[in-house]
Amino acid sequence: MVFLGLTIAGIGFSLLIYFIDRIVSPLRRLMKAAEDITIGNLTQGIVCLDTDDEVGNLAKAIEEMRLALKDNQDKLFAAHNELERRVKERTNELEEANKAIRRLNEELELRVLERTGLLETANQELQEANAMNQLLLQTIPFEMDIVDEEGNILAFNPRLESVFGKEAIGKKCWSLYCDNQQQCPDCPL
């Protein structure tokens, strides 16, 4: 009887181990798959999908989650690669544009220097011409003025200044020279 009891207990214990292993082993594989998913390893599929019990349903749900995460990860990598490609492309475009801007800036600086030199030369020549004109005006032995095309007095020599005063500059020439204060009928202006 003891033998029979021990045999039944041995069979019961073996069945218990067998059923525990049938439940615990798939749960361990699910835990391992969940750990892999947690660390980002989405390449390893779940192997205990062949049962129709709760563990099998849980395994199928985890596998669907893994596949969805893998799909999203693949899409994210593809979007990342596309964005990286676009950034490189745009960076190259901006670098080319910056090179062109630097070239244009250098050209403009050269033009500015060239034009500044031309303006300085023209200004020097103008100052020399003005000095010569002033010298001529100062040395002419009779009254003389310079008027623009509208008859405005721009300058005169000291002899004419002594007659009309400095306030005559800017006035119409006929207002000083004509008694009727009107432009002369045969005026060359």
Side-chain angles (χ1 to χ4, degrees), residues 13 28 44 48-49 54 71 85 99 102 107 109 141 166:
F13 184 70
R28 283 189 183 142
Q44 187 66 34
C48 55
L49 300 175
E54 289 81 6
D71 184 53
R85 183 195 65 76
K99 286 178 187 176
R102 280 192 292 275
E107 289 174 18
E109 285 178 5
K166 286 190 184 264

Side-chain angles (χ1 to χ4, degrees), residues 159-185:
R159 293 184 137 221
L160 197 56
E161 182 181 344
S162 67
V163 174
F164 295 110
K166 286 190 184 264
E167 58 275 357
I169 296 211
K171 292 187 177 180
K172 300 289 185 189
C173 61
W174 55 81
S175 70
L176 297 176
Y177 306 139
C178 297
D179 291 332
N180 64 2
Q181 302 283 313
Q182 293 184 3
Q183 189 172 2
C184 303

Side-chain angles (χ1 to χ4, degrees), residues 13-185:
F13 184 70
S14 295
L15 285 174
L16 179 66
I17 298 289
Y18 172 76
F19 285 118
I20 287 176
D21 187 53
R22 290 224 358 124
I23 294 171
V24 171
S25 181
L27 286 176
R28 283 189 183 142
R29 287 194 298 267
L30 285 176
M31 280 178 40
K32 172 70 173 118
E35 288 171 357
D36 286 348
I37 290 171
T38 301
I39 62 171
N41 180 7
L42 301 174
T43 57
Q44 187 66 34
I46 298 177
V47 290
C48 55
L49 300 175
D50 54 349
T51 61
D52 249 357
D53 58 4
E54 289 81 6
V55 173
N57 290 338
L58 180 61
K60 288 175 188 168
I62 292 175
E63 178 64 10
E64 287 175 12
M65 179 183 71
R66 183 193 70 80
L67 291 173
L69 286 171
K70 175 97 173 84
D71 184 53
N72 286 338
Q73 186 182 53
D74 292 345
K75 287 177 183 174
L76 186 61
F77 282 145
H80 174 267
N81 291 338
E82 173 63 16
L83 184 60
E84 194 170 274
R85 183 195 65 76
R86 285 171 148 181
V87 166
K88 284 180 183 176
E89 183 179 295
R90 185 66 179 141
T91 300
N92 289 340
E93 289 172 2
L94 289 173
E95 286 174 355
E96 290 301 314
N98 280 338
K99 286 178 187 176
I101 288 171
R102 280 192 292 275
R103 274 193 308 271
L104 287 173
N105 192 31
E106 289 170 2
E107 289 174 18
L108 285 174
E109 285 178 5
L110 288 175
R111 288 167 124 181
V112 165
L113 288 174
E114 180 182 307
R115 296 243 170 110
T116 300
L118 291 173
L119 285 172
E120 287 173 351
T121 301
N123 191 30
Q124 180 65 32
E125 290 172 356
L126 185 60
Q127 286 176 356
E128 289 170 5
N130 272 343
M132 181 60 127
N133 288 340
Q134 286 299 321
L135 183 62
L136 285 173
L137 265 177
Q138 299 296 325
T139 58
I140 293 177
F142 51 86
E143 291 86 5
M144 181 175 177
D145 65 1
I146 298 174
V147 296
D148 64 13
E149 60 274 351
E150 296 174 3
N152 297 310
I153 298 175
L154 301 175
F156 43 69
N157 66 357
R159 293 184 137 221
L160 197 56
E161 182 181 344
S162 67
V163 174
F164 295 110
K166 286 190 184 264
E167 58 275 357
I169 296 211
K171 292 187 177 180
K172 300 289 185 189
C173 61
W174 55 81
S175 70
L176 297 176
Y177 306 139
C178 297
D179 291 332
N180 64 2
Q181 302 283 313
Q182 293 184 3
Q183 189 172 2
C184 303

